[in-house]
Short mmCIF file of all heavy atoms in Angstrom, two decimals:
data_model
loop_
_atom_site.label_atom_id
_atom_site.label_comp_id
_atom_site.label_asym_id
_atom_site.label_seq_id
_atom_site.Cartn_x
_atom_site.Cartn_y
_atom_site.Cartn_z
N MET A 10 -8.43 -20.84 -71.25
CA MET A 10 -7.32 -20.07 -70.80
C MET A 10 -6.07 -20.41 -71.55
O MET A 10 -5.63 -21.56 -71.65
CB MET A 10 -7.09 -20.34 -69.32
CG MET A 10 -8.19 -19.71 -68.42
SD MET A 10 -8.25 -17.92 -68.50
CE MET A 10 -9.55 -17.63 -67.26
N THR A 11 -5.44 -19.48 -72.17
CA THR A 11 -4.22 -19.74 -72.95
C THR A 11 -3.05 -19.00 -72.34
O THR A 11 -2.01 -18.90 -72.91
CB THR A 11 -4.40 -19.29 -74.38
OG1 THR A 11 -4.80 -17.91 -74.43
CG2 THR A 11 -5.46 -20.09 -75.08
N GLY A 12 -3.22 -18.47 -71.15
CA GLY A 12 -2.11 -17.75 -70.47
C GLY A 12 -1.80 -16.41 -71.05
O GLY A 12 -0.71 -15.87 -70.85
N GLN A 13 -2.73 -15.88 -71.76
CA GLN A 13 -2.50 -14.57 -72.38
C GLN A 13 -3.04 -13.39 -71.54
O GLN A 13 -2.94 -12.26 -71.96
CB GLN A 13 -3.14 -14.52 -73.78
CG GLN A 13 -2.37 -15.45 -74.77
CD GLN A 13 -2.92 -15.28 -76.23
OE1 GLN A 13 -3.84 -14.57 -76.45
NE2 GLN A 13 -2.20 -15.99 -77.12
N SER A 14 -3.66 -13.76 -70.45
CA SER A 14 -4.17 -12.66 -69.57
C SER A 14 -2.99 -11.90 -69.06
O SER A 14 -1.92 -12.40 -68.79
CB SER A 14 -4.98 -13.26 -68.45
OG SER A 14 -4.13 -14.06 -67.60
N VAL A 15 -3.18 -10.62 -68.90
CA VAL A 15 -2.12 -9.74 -68.44
C VAL A 15 -2.01 -9.79 -66.97
O VAL A 15 -2.99 -9.42 -66.29
CB VAL A 15 -2.36 -8.30 -68.98
CG1 VAL A 15 -1.27 -7.37 -68.41
CG2 VAL A 15 -2.42 -8.24 -70.47
N ARG A 16 -0.89 -10.19 -66.56
CA ARG A 16 -0.69 -10.21 -65.08
C ARG A 16 0.31 -9.02 -64.76
O ARG A 16 1.14 -8.74 -65.49
CB ARG A 16 -0.03 -11.54 -64.57
CG ARG A 16 -1.00 -12.68 -64.66
CD ARG A 16 -0.29 -13.92 -64.17
NE ARG A 16 0.93 -14.16 -64.94
CZ ARG A 16 1.71 -15.21 -64.73
NH1 ARG A 16 1.48 -16.02 -63.76
NH2 ARG A 16 2.83 -15.41 -65.40
N THR A 17 0.07 -8.49 -63.59
CA THR A 17 1.02 -7.55 -63.10
C THR A 17 1.49 -7.99 -61.74
O THR A 17 0.84 -8.76 -61.08
CB THR A 17 0.34 -6.13 -62.97
OG1 THR A 17 -0.75 -6.20 -62.05
CG2 THR A 17 -0.10 -5.62 -64.30
N PHE A 18 2.68 -7.48 -61.37
CA PHE A 18 3.32 -7.90 -60.14
C PHE A 18 3.73 -6.68 -59.38
O PHE A 18 4.83 -6.25 -59.44
CB PHE A 18 4.49 -8.81 -60.41
CG PHE A 18 4.18 -10.08 -61.16
CD1 PHE A 18 4.19 -10.13 -62.55
CD2 PHE A 18 3.85 -11.23 -60.47
CE1 PHE A 18 3.88 -11.31 -63.22
CE2 PHE A 18 3.50 -12.37 -61.04
CZ PHE A 18 3.56 -12.46 -62.46
N PRO A 19 2.71 -6.12 -58.61
CA PRO A 19 3.09 -4.99 -57.78
C PRO A 19 4.19 -5.41 -56.82
O PRO A 19 4.19 -6.52 -56.29
CB PRO A 19 1.80 -4.69 -57.03
CG PRO A 19 0.74 -5.33 -57.81
CD PRO A 19 1.37 -6.53 -58.47
N HIS A 20 5.10 -4.44 -56.55
CA HIS A 20 6.19 -4.71 -55.61
C HIS A 20 5.92 -3.95 -54.31
O HIS A 20 5.33 -2.84 -54.33
CB HIS A 20 7.51 -4.21 -56.20
CG HIS A 20 7.92 -4.96 -57.46
ND1 HIS A 20 8.91 -4.55 -58.26
CD2 HIS A 20 7.41 -6.10 -57.99
CE1 HIS A 20 8.99 -5.43 -59.28
NE2 HIS A 20 8.08 -6.37 -59.10
N ARG A 21 6.38 -4.53 -53.29
CA ARG A 21 6.10 -3.96 -51.92
C ARG A 21 7.40 -4.05 -51.17
O ARG A 21 8.04 -5.07 -51.08
CB ARG A 21 5.07 -4.75 -51.18
CG ARG A 21 4.79 -4.23 -49.79
CD ARG A 21 3.70 -5.06 -49.12
NE ARG A 21 4.10 -6.46 -48.96
CZ ARG A 21 3.33 -7.42 -48.61
NH1 ARG A 21 2.02 -7.19 -48.44
NH2 ARG A 21 3.74 -8.65 -48.50
N LYS A 22 7.84 -2.91 -50.64
CA LYS A 22 9.05 -2.86 -49.85
C LYS A 22 8.73 -3.19 -48.39
O LYS A 22 7.81 -2.64 -47.82
CB LYS A 22 9.78 -1.55 -49.90
CG LYS A 22 11.15 -1.58 -49.30
CD LYS A 22 11.93 -0.37 -49.55
CE LYS A 22 13.40 -0.54 -49.05
NZ LYS A 22 14.16 0.71 -49.20
N ASN A 23 9.45 -4.10 -47.80
CA ASN A 23 9.24 -4.52 -46.43
C ASN A 23 10.15 -3.69 -45.50
O ASN A 23 11.16 -3.13 -45.90
CB ASN A 23 9.55 -6.00 -46.27
CG ASN A 23 8.65 -6.89 -47.12
OD1 ASN A 23 7.42 -6.81 -46.97
ND2 ASN A 23 9.23 -7.64 -48.00
N PRO A 24 9.71 -3.63 -44.22
CA PRO A 24 10.46 -2.84 -43.26
C PRO A 24 11.92 -3.31 -43.06
O PRO A 24 12.78 -2.53 -42.71
CB PRO A 24 9.67 -3.09 -41.94
CG PRO A 24 8.32 -3.42 -42.38
CD PRO A 24 8.45 -4.18 -43.66
N ASP A 25 12.18 -4.58 -43.40
CA ASP A 25 13.50 -5.09 -43.27
C ASP A 25 14.34 -4.84 -44.57
O ASP A 25 15.48 -5.31 -44.62
CB ASP A 25 13.50 -6.59 -42.96
CG ASP A 25 12.86 -7.44 -44.02
OD1 ASP A 25 12.44 -6.86 -45.05
OD2 ASP A 25 12.81 -8.64 -43.80
N GLY A 26 13.78 -4.12 -45.49
CA GLY A 26 14.53 -3.80 -46.68
C GLY A 26 14.46 -4.75 -47.83
O GLY A 26 14.95 -4.49 -48.89
N THR A 27 13.74 -5.82 -47.58
CA THR A 27 13.50 -6.77 -48.70
C THR A 27 12.29 -6.35 -49.52
O THR A 27 11.50 -5.49 -49.11
CB THR A 27 13.23 -8.20 -48.18
OG1 THR A 27 12.12 -8.18 -47.33
CG2 THR A 27 14.47 -8.71 -47.44
N TRP A 28 12.13 -6.93 -50.67
CA TRP A 28 11.06 -6.63 -51.59
C TRP A 28 10.16 -7.84 -51.84
O TRP A 28 10.72 -8.95 -52.08
CB TRP A 28 11.59 -6.13 -52.92
CG TRP A 28 12.21 -4.76 -52.80
CD1 TRP A 28 13.47 -4.49 -52.37
CD2 TRP A 28 11.63 -3.50 -53.14
NE1 TRP A 28 13.73 -3.11 -52.41
CE2 TRP A 28 12.56 -2.48 -52.94
CE3 TRP A 28 10.37 -3.16 -53.69
CZ2 TRP A 28 12.31 -1.11 -53.11
CZ3 TRP A 28 10.10 -1.76 -53.90
CH2 TRP A 28 11.06 -0.81 -53.65
N ASP A 29 8.89 -7.66 -51.84
CA ASP A 29 7.96 -8.68 -52.22
C ASP A 29 7.43 -8.39 -53.59
O ASP A 29 7.25 -7.20 -53.98
CB ASP A 29 6.76 -8.73 -51.29
CG ASP A 29 7.11 -9.27 -49.88
OD1 ASP A 29 8.19 -9.82 -49.74
OD2 ASP A 29 6.29 -9.14 -49.01
N SER A 30 7.13 -9.41 -54.33
CA SER A 30 6.43 -9.33 -55.59
C SER A 30 5.11 -10.04 -55.47
O SER A 30 5.09 -11.27 -55.04
CB SER A 30 7.29 -9.91 -56.72
OG SER A 30 6.52 -9.76 -57.95
N ILE A 31 4.04 -9.40 -55.78
CA ILE A 31 2.72 -9.96 -55.55
C ILE A 31 2.02 -10.19 -56.90
O ILE A 31 1.98 -9.24 -57.73
CB ILE A 31 1.90 -9.05 -54.64
CG1 ILE A 31 2.59 -8.85 -53.35
CG2 ILE A 31 0.51 -9.65 -54.43
CD1 ILE A 31 2.41 -7.52 -52.68
N CYS A 32 1.52 -11.41 -57.11
CA CYS A 32 0.88 -11.71 -58.39
C CYS A 32 -0.56 -11.14 -58.33
O CYS A 32 -1.30 -11.37 -57.41
CB CYS A 32 0.83 -13.22 -58.54
SG CYS A 32 -0.06 -13.67 -60.02
N SER A 33 -0.92 -10.38 -59.36
CA SER A 33 -2.24 -9.79 -59.39
C SER A 33 -3.28 -10.80 -59.74
O SER A 33 -4.48 -10.52 -59.62
CB SER A 33 -2.23 -8.64 -60.42
OG SER A 33 -2.07 -9.20 -61.76
N ASP A 34 -2.84 -11.98 -60.16
CA ASP A 34 -3.77 -12.96 -60.62
C ASP A 34 -4.21 -13.88 -59.50
O ASP A 34 -5.37 -14.18 -59.26
CB ASP A 34 -3.16 -13.75 -61.76
CG ASP A 34 -4.20 -14.34 -62.72
OD1 ASP A 34 -5.35 -13.84 -62.64
OD2 ASP A 34 -3.90 -15.23 -63.48
N CYS A 35 -3.23 -14.46 -58.74
CA CYS A 35 -3.51 -15.34 -57.65
C CYS A 35 -3.33 -14.69 -56.31
O CYS A 35 -3.56 -15.33 -55.28
CB CYS A 35 -2.72 -16.62 -57.80
SG CYS A 35 -0.97 -16.39 -57.57
N PHE A 36 -2.90 -13.44 -56.31
CA PHE A 36 -2.74 -12.62 -55.07
C PHE A 36 -1.79 -13.25 -54.05
O PHE A 36 -1.94 -13.11 -52.87
CB PHE A 36 -4.11 -12.41 -54.42
CG PHE A 36 -5.04 -11.68 -55.29
CD1 PHE A 36 -6.10 -12.30 -55.92
CD2 PHE A 36 -4.83 -10.31 -55.58
CE1 PHE A 36 -6.96 -11.65 -56.76
CE2 PHE A 36 -5.71 -9.63 -56.46
CZ PHE A 36 -6.76 -10.34 -57.03
N ARG A 37 -0.80 -13.98 -54.60
CA ARG A 37 0.21 -14.54 -53.70
C ARG A 37 1.50 -13.74 -53.79
O ARG A 37 1.77 -13.20 -54.77
CB ARG A 37 0.48 -15.99 -54.07
CG ARG A 37 -0.68 -16.92 -53.77
CD ARG A 37 -0.33 -18.32 -54.37
NE ARG A 37 -1.51 -19.20 -54.12
CZ ARG A 37 -1.62 -19.93 -53.01
NH1 ARG A 37 -0.71 -19.92 -52.09
NH2 ARG A 37 -2.69 -20.69 -52.86
N THR A 38 2.18 -13.76 -52.68
CA THR A 38 3.49 -13.17 -52.68
C THR A 38 4.42 -14.21 -53.26
O THR A 38 4.65 -15.27 -52.74
CB THR A 38 3.98 -12.85 -51.22
OG1 THR A 38 3.09 -11.94 -50.68
CG2 THR A 38 5.39 -12.25 -51.28
N ILE A 39 4.86 -13.98 -54.52
CA ILE A 39 5.64 -15.02 -55.26
C ILE A 39 7.08 -15.00 -54.97
O ILE A 39 7.80 -15.93 -55.21
CB ILE A 39 5.36 -14.86 -56.75
CG1 ILE A 39 5.96 -13.53 -57.31
CG2 ILE A 39 3.91 -14.97 -57.08
CD1 ILE A 39 6.06 -13.52 -58.77
N ALA A 40 7.62 -13.86 -54.41
CA ALA A 40 9.01 -13.81 -54.16
C ALA A 40 9.33 -12.79 -53.13
O ALA A 40 8.56 -11.74 -52.99
CB ALA A 40 9.78 -13.48 -55.46
N ARG A 41 10.37 -12.98 -52.35
CA ARG A 41 10.84 -12.03 -51.45
C ARG A 41 12.34 -11.94 -51.56
O ARG A 41 13.05 -12.95 -51.28
CB ARG A 41 10.44 -12.35 -50.01
CG ARG A 41 10.92 -11.34 -48.97
CD ARG A 41 10.23 -11.60 -47.64
NE ARG A 41 8.80 -11.35 -47.77
CZ ARG A 41 7.89 -11.86 -46.94
NH1 ARG A 41 8.25 -12.65 -45.98
NH2 ARG A 41 6.63 -11.59 -47.11
N VAL A 42 12.86 -10.81 -51.98
CA VAL A 42 14.32 -10.69 -52.33
C VAL A 42 14.87 -9.40 -51.77
O VAL A 42 14.13 -8.49 -51.42
CB VAL A 42 14.52 -10.74 -53.85
CG1 VAL A 42 13.98 -12.06 -54.43
CG2 VAL A 42 13.78 -9.51 -54.50
N LYS A 43 16.18 -9.38 -51.77
CA LYS A 43 16.86 -8.17 -51.27
C LYS A 43 17.09 -7.21 -52.41
O LYS A 43 17.10 -6.02 -52.23
CB LYS A 43 18.21 -8.53 -50.67
CG LYS A 43 18.02 -9.27 -49.30
CD LYS A 43 19.42 -9.62 -48.68
CE LYS A 43 19.20 -10.32 -47.36
NZ LYS A 43 20.54 -10.83 -46.87
N ASP A 44 17.30 -7.75 -53.60
CA ASP A 44 17.50 -6.92 -54.80
C ASP A 44 16.30 -6.94 -55.66
O ASP A 44 15.96 -7.99 -56.23
CB ASP A 44 18.76 -7.48 -55.51
CG ASP A 44 19.13 -6.59 -56.71
OD1 ASP A 44 18.30 -5.72 -57.13
OD2 ASP A 44 20.24 -6.75 -57.25
N PRO A 45 15.62 -5.83 -55.79
CA PRO A 45 14.34 -5.89 -56.58
C PRO A 45 14.53 -6.29 -58.06
O PRO A 45 13.56 -6.71 -58.67
CB PRO A 45 13.87 -4.36 -56.49
CG PRO A 45 14.99 -3.57 -56.00
CD PRO A 45 15.92 -4.55 -55.25
N SER A 46 15.74 -6.20 -58.56
CA SER A 46 15.99 -6.65 -59.96
C SER A 46 15.83 -8.15 -60.07
O SER A 46 15.63 -8.66 -61.15
CB SER A 46 17.31 -6.18 -60.44
OG SER A 46 18.34 -6.73 -59.72
N ASP A 47 15.94 -8.84 -58.93
CA ASP A 47 15.77 -10.27 -58.92
C ASP A 47 14.34 -10.68 -59.13
O ASP A 47 14.04 -11.82 -59.50
CB ASP A 47 16.31 -10.93 -57.63
CG ASP A 47 17.78 -10.86 -57.53
OD1 ASP A 47 18.48 -10.74 -58.60
OD2 ASP A 47 18.35 -11.00 -56.43
N LEU A 48 13.42 -9.79 -58.78
CA LEU A 48 12.00 -10.17 -58.90
C LEU A 48 11.58 -10.52 -60.32
O LEU A 48 10.68 -11.33 -60.47
CB LEU A 48 11.13 -8.95 -58.43
CG LEU A 48 11.29 -8.61 -56.90
CD1 LEU A 48 10.52 -7.37 -56.58
CD2 LEU A 48 10.80 -9.77 -56.04
N GLU A 49 12.25 -9.95 -61.26
CA GLU A 49 11.86 -10.20 -62.64
C GLU A 49 11.93 -11.72 -62.94
O GLU A 49 11.16 -12.25 -63.70
CB GLU A 49 12.77 -9.41 -63.56
CG GLU A 49 12.34 -9.51 -65.03
CD GLU A 49 13.34 -8.77 -65.93
OE1 GLU A 49 13.98 -7.79 -65.46
OE2 GLU A 49 13.49 -9.20 -67.08
N LEU A 50 12.93 -12.33 -62.40
CA LEU A 50 13.17 -13.79 -62.64
C LEU A 50 11.94 -14.58 -62.14
O LEU A 50 11.47 -15.48 -62.78
CB LEU A 50 14.44 -14.29 -61.99
CG LEU A 50 15.71 -13.59 -62.50
CD1 LEU A 50 16.91 -14.08 -61.63
CD2 LEU A 50 15.97 -14.01 -63.97
N PHE A 51 11.54 -14.21 -60.93
CA PHE A 51 10.39 -14.97 -60.36
C PHE A 51 9.12 -14.71 -61.15
O PHE A 51 8.32 -15.56 -61.33
CB PHE A 51 10.25 -14.54 -58.87
CG PHE A 51 11.30 -15.02 -57.97
CD1 PHE A 51 12.39 -14.20 -57.74
CD2 PHE A 51 11.29 -16.25 -57.39
CE1 PHE A 51 13.43 -14.62 -56.88
CE2 PHE A 51 12.26 -16.68 -56.56
CZ PHE A 51 13.34 -15.89 -56.31
N GLU A 52 8.96 -13.43 -61.54
CA GLU A 52 7.76 -13.07 -62.24
C GLU A 52 7.67 -13.81 -63.62
O GLU A 52 6.62 -14.21 -64.05
CB GLU A 52 7.70 -11.56 -62.44
CG GLU A 52 7.51 -10.89 -61.10
CD GLU A 52 7.89 -9.39 -61.14
OE1 GLU A 52 8.23 -8.90 -62.22
OE2 GLU A 52 7.89 -8.74 -60.06
N ARG A 53 8.83 -13.95 -64.22
CA ARG A 53 8.87 -14.59 -65.57
C ARG A 53 8.48 -16.03 -65.43
O ARG A 53 7.82 -16.62 -66.28
CB ARG A 53 10.24 -14.45 -66.15
CG ARG A 53 10.28 -14.71 -67.64
CD ARG A 53 11.71 -14.66 -68.13
NE ARG A 53 12.40 -13.43 -67.75
CZ ARG A 53 13.70 -13.31 -67.63
NH1 ARG A 53 14.50 -14.36 -67.97
NH2 ARG A 53 14.24 -12.18 -67.30
N ASP A 54 8.93 -16.67 -64.36
CA ASP A 54 8.73 -18.13 -64.15
C ASP A 54 7.44 -18.44 -63.45
O ASP A 54 6.99 -19.56 -63.42
CB ASP A 54 9.87 -18.68 -63.29
CG ASP A 54 11.12 -18.81 -64.08
OD1 ASP A 54 11.09 -18.66 -65.32
OD2 ASP A 54 12.21 -18.98 -63.47
N HIS A 55 6.80 -17.40 -62.95
CA HIS A 55 5.62 -17.67 -62.06
C HIS A 55 4.47 -18.32 -62.85
O HIS A 55 4.07 -17.84 -63.94
CB HIS A 55 5.17 -16.40 -61.46
CG HIS A 55 3.89 -16.51 -60.63
ND1 HIS A 55 3.82 -17.32 -59.50
CD2 HIS A 55 2.62 -16.05 -60.82
CE1 HIS A 55 2.59 -17.31 -59.08
NE2 HIS A 55 1.83 -16.52 -59.81
N ASP A 56 3.98 -19.36 -62.32
CA ASP A 56 2.80 -20.03 -62.84
C ASP A 56 1.81 -20.15 -61.67
O ASP A 56 2.13 -20.85 -60.71
CB ASP A 56 3.18 -21.36 -63.44
CG ASP A 56 1.94 -22.05 -64.04
OD1 ASP A 56 0.91 -22.17 -63.33
OD2 ASP A 56 2.02 -22.53 -65.16
N CYS A 57 0.63 -19.54 -61.82
CA CYS A 57 -0.26 -19.51 -60.65
C CYS A 57 -0.64 -20.88 -60.18
O CYS A 57 -0.68 -21.16 -59.00
CB CYS A 57 -1.56 -18.73 -61.08
SG CYS A 57 -1.25 -16.99 -61.28
N ALA A 58 -0.92 -21.76 -61.11
CA ALA A 58 -1.31 -23.12 -60.78
C ALA A 58 -0.14 -23.89 -60.18
O ALA A 58 -0.27 -24.61 -59.21
CB ALA A 58 -1.87 -23.86 -61.97
N GLN A 59 1.01 -23.74 -60.82
CA GLN A 59 2.15 -24.48 -60.34
C GLN A 59 2.60 -23.96 -59.00
O GLN A 59 3.11 -24.69 -58.15
CB GLN A 59 3.27 -24.33 -61.36
CG GLN A 59 4.49 -25.21 -61.07
CD GLN A 59 5.60 -25.00 -62.09
OE1 GLN A 59 5.97 -23.85 -62.37
NE2 GLN A 59 6.07 -26.06 -62.71
N PHE A 60 2.43 -22.71 -58.78
CA PHE A 60 2.94 -22.13 -57.54
C PHE A 60 2.30 -22.73 -56.34
O PHE A 60 2.91 -22.80 -55.24
CB PHE A 60 2.67 -20.60 -57.55
CG PHE A 60 3.35 -19.93 -56.42
CD1 PHE A 60 4.75 -19.73 -56.46
CD2 PHE A 60 2.62 -19.46 -55.31
CE1 PHE A 60 5.37 -19.06 -55.39
CE2 PHE A 60 3.28 -18.82 -54.29
CZ PHE A 60 4.63 -18.63 -54.30
N LYS A 61 1.09 -23.25 -56.47
CA LYS A 61 0.45 -23.80 -55.30
C LYS A 61 1.23 -24.99 -54.72
O LYS A 61 1.31 -25.20 -53.56
CB LYS A 61 -0.95 -24.26 -55.71
CG LYS A 61 -1.87 -23.10 -55.96
CD LYS A 61 -3.20 -23.60 -56.53
CE LYS A 61 -4.08 -22.38 -56.82
NZ LYS A 61 -5.31 -22.80 -57.56
N SER A 62 1.84 -25.79 -55.62
CA SER A 62 2.58 -26.90 -55.17
C SER A 62 3.97 -26.53 -54.71
O SER A 62 4.66 -27.26 -54.07
CB SER A 62 2.67 -27.98 -56.27
OG SER A 62 3.41 -27.41 -57.39
N LEU A 63 4.40 -25.31 -55.08
CA LEU A 63 5.74 -24.86 -54.70
C LEU A 63 5.72 -23.97 -53.49
O LEU A 63 6.77 -23.64 -52.94
CB LEU A 63 6.39 -24.11 -55.83
CG LEU A 63 6.69 -24.92 -57.10
CD1 LEU A 63 7.23 -23.95 -58.19
CD2 LEU A 63 7.77 -25.99 -56.79
N SER A 64 4.51 -23.64 -53.02
CA SER A 64 4.45 -22.66 -51.94
C SER A 64 5.15 -23.07 -50.68
O SER A 64 5.67 -22.28 -49.86
CB SER A 64 2.97 -22.32 -51.69
OG SER A 64 2.29 -23.46 -51.24
N PHE A 65 5.18 -24.40 -50.48
CA PHE A 65 5.81 -24.88 -49.23
C PHE A 65 7.26 -24.59 -49.28
O PHE A 65 7.93 -24.34 -48.30
CB PHE A 65 5.58 -26.38 -49.06
CG PHE A 65 6.37 -27.25 -49.96
CD1 PHE A 65 7.62 -27.78 -49.57
CD2 PHE A 65 5.95 -27.53 -51.27
CE1 PHE A 65 8.36 -28.57 -50.43
CE2 PHE A 65 6.70 -28.29 -52.12
CZ PHE A 65 7.92 -28.83 -51.70
N ARG A 66 7.87 -24.54 -50.52
CA ARG A 66 9.28 -24.29 -50.64
C ARG A 66 9.57 -22.84 -50.33
O ARG A 66 10.56 -22.51 -49.69
CB ARG A 66 9.76 -24.57 -52.07
CG ARG A 66 11.02 -25.42 -52.07
CD ARG A 66 11.35 -25.86 -53.48
NE ARG A 66 11.94 -24.78 -54.28
CZ ARG A 66 12.23 -24.89 -55.57
NH1 ARG A 66 11.98 -25.98 -56.20
NH2 ARG A 66 12.81 -23.91 -56.19
N PHE A 67 8.65 -21.97 -50.75
CA PHE A 67 8.86 -20.53 -50.50
C PHE A 67 8.78 -20.28 -49.04
O PHE A 67 9.47 -19.40 -48.53
CB PHE A 67 7.80 -19.74 -51.26
CG PHE A 67 7.86 -18.30 -51.01
CD1 PHE A 67 8.95 -17.54 -51.47
CD2 PHE A 67 6.82 -17.66 -50.24
CE1 PHE A 67 9.00 -16.19 -51.17
CE2 PHE A 67 6.92 -16.29 -49.99
CZ PHE A 67 7.99 -15.54 -50.48
N ARG A 68 7.97 -20.99 -48.32
CA ARG A 68 7.89 -20.79 -46.88
C ARG A 68 9.20 -21.08 -46.18
O ARG A 68 9.47 -20.48 -45.16
CB ARG A 68 6.73 -21.65 -46.32
CG ARG A 68 5.38 -21.13 -46.75
CD ARG A 68 4.22 -21.88 -46.08
NE ARG A 68 2.92 -21.43 -46.54
CZ ARG A 68 2.34 -20.33 -46.13
NH1 ARG A 68 2.91 -19.66 -45.16
NH2 ARG A 68 1.18 -20.00 -46.60
N LEU A 69 9.91 -21.95 -46.74
CA LEU A 69 11.21 -22.27 -46.13
C LEU A 69 12.19 -21.11 -46.33
O LEU A 69 13.06 -20.87 -45.49
CB LEU A 69 11.84 -23.48 -46.75
CG LEU A 69 11.10 -24.85 -46.45
CD1 LEU A 69 11.75 -25.97 -47.25
CD2 LEU A 69 11.03 -25.10 -45.02
N LEU A 70 12.04 -20.38 -47.41
CA LEU A 70 12.90 -19.29 -47.70
C LEU A 70 12.51 -17.98 -46.97
O LEU A 70 13.33 -17.14 -46.67
CB LEU A 70 12.85 -18.94 -49.18
CG LEU A 70 13.40 -20.11 -50.10
CD1 LEU A 70 13.19 -19.76 -51.52
CD2 LEU A 70 14.88 -20.35 -49.82
N SER A 71 11.24 -17.86 -46.67
CA SER A 71 10.81 -16.60 -45.98
C SER A 71 10.52 -16.89 -44.53
O SER A 71 9.80 -17.79 -44.18
CB SER A 71 9.53 -16.08 -46.68
OG SER A 71 8.48 -16.97 -46.44
N GLU A 72 11.20 -16.23 -43.70
CA GLU A 72 11.11 -16.40 -42.24
C GLU A 72 9.78 -15.91 -41.70
O GLU A 72 9.24 -16.47 -40.82
CB GLU A 72 12.24 -15.80 -41.57
CG GLU A 72 13.59 -16.45 -42.00
CD GLU A 72 14.73 -16.04 -41.15
OE1 GLU A 72 14.53 -15.17 -40.29
OE2 GLU A 72 15.85 -16.51 -41.39
N SER A 73 9.33 -14.77 -42.21
CA SER A 73 8.10 -14.23 -41.73
C SER A 73 7.00 -14.46 -42.74
O SER A 73 7.25 -14.48 -43.97
CB SER A 73 8.20 -12.73 -41.49
OG SER A 73 8.52 -12.08 -42.70
N ASP A 74 5.83 -14.73 -42.27
CA ASP A 74 4.72 -15.07 -43.14
C ASP A 74 3.64 -14.02 -42.91
O ASP A 74 2.76 -14.12 -42.12
CB ASP A 74 4.18 -16.42 -42.85
CG ASP A 74 3.16 -16.85 -43.87
OD1 ASP A 74 3.20 -16.29 -45.04
OD2 ASP A 74 2.32 -17.74 -43.60
N THR A 75 3.82 -12.87 -43.60
CA THR A 75 2.90 -11.75 -43.36
C THR A 75 2.05 -11.51 -44.55
O THR A 75 2.34 -10.61 -45.36
CB THR A 75 3.71 -10.52 -42.95
OG1 THR A 75 4.72 -10.27 -43.97
CG2 THR A 75 4.42 -10.71 -41.63
N ASP A 76 1.06 -12.31 -44.73
CA ASP A 76 0.13 -12.08 -45.84
C ASP A 76 -0.77 -10.88 -45.53
O ASP A 76 -1.30 -10.74 -44.43
CB ASP A 76 -0.74 -13.30 -46.09
CG ASP A 76 0.05 -14.42 -46.73
OD1 ASP A 76 1.07 -14.07 -47.40
OD2 ASP A 76 -0.34 -15.53 -46.72
N VAL A 77 -0.92 -10.06 -46.51
CA VAL A 77 -1.78 -8.86 -46.35
C VAL A 77 -3.15 -9.21 -46.88
O VAL A 77 -3.28 -9.65 -48.01
CB VAL A 77 -1.17 -7.62 -47.13
CG1 VAL A 77 -2.23 -6.46 -47.02
CG2 VAL A 77 0.10 -7.25 -46.48
N ALA A 78 -4.14 -8.99 -46.07
CA ALA A 78 -5.51 -9.39 -46.47
C ALA A 78 -6.00 -8.42 -47.53
O ALA A 78 -5.62 -7.27 -47.50
CB ALA A 78 -6.41 -9.37 -45.24
ZN1 ZN B 124 -0.11 -16.00 -59.75
#
């Protein structure tokens, strides 16, 4: 794996007006923001392996934990 696989980050609008970005590779919600243009920053920095250790931090930022199966 050299990180050259193409990842996409579908966006999902939440009922509260925030936006989620979902990694097509690890299927995690990598960011939840009010301004969808901010998602690009998270997507650029997202590392599927690294994110596992950071997920606890994201939970502090997101009040609701609504993973879609
Ligand atoms: Zn990922």
Side-chain angles (χ1 to χ4, degrees):
M10 289 295 184
T11 57
Q13 292 186 353
S14 64
V15 176
R16 288 182 304 180
T17 60
F18 297 92
H20 297 168
R21 178 181 62 192
K22 190 173 187 183
N23 297 303
D25 64 359
T27 59
W28 289 81
D29 288 348
S30 181
I31 301 148
C32 177
S33 66
D34 208 16
C35 65
F36 301 107
R37 289 171 183 273
T38 303
I39 65 166
R41 179 168 297 159
V42 298
K43 289 179 181 173
D44 184 344
S46 64
D47 288 342
L48 292 174
E49 187 185 331
L50 296 172
F51 290 93
E52 291 163 5
R53 198 185 307 157
D54 287 346
H55 175 65
D56 181 309
C57 293
Q59 189 182 50
F60 188 74
K61 291 174 184 170
S62 63
L63 294 175
S64 60
F65 75 95
R66 228 173 78 186
F67 177 67
R68 288 184 184 280
L69 293 178
L70 297 173
S71 66
E72 296 189 355
S73 62
D74 189 21
T75 53
D76 284 338
V77 174

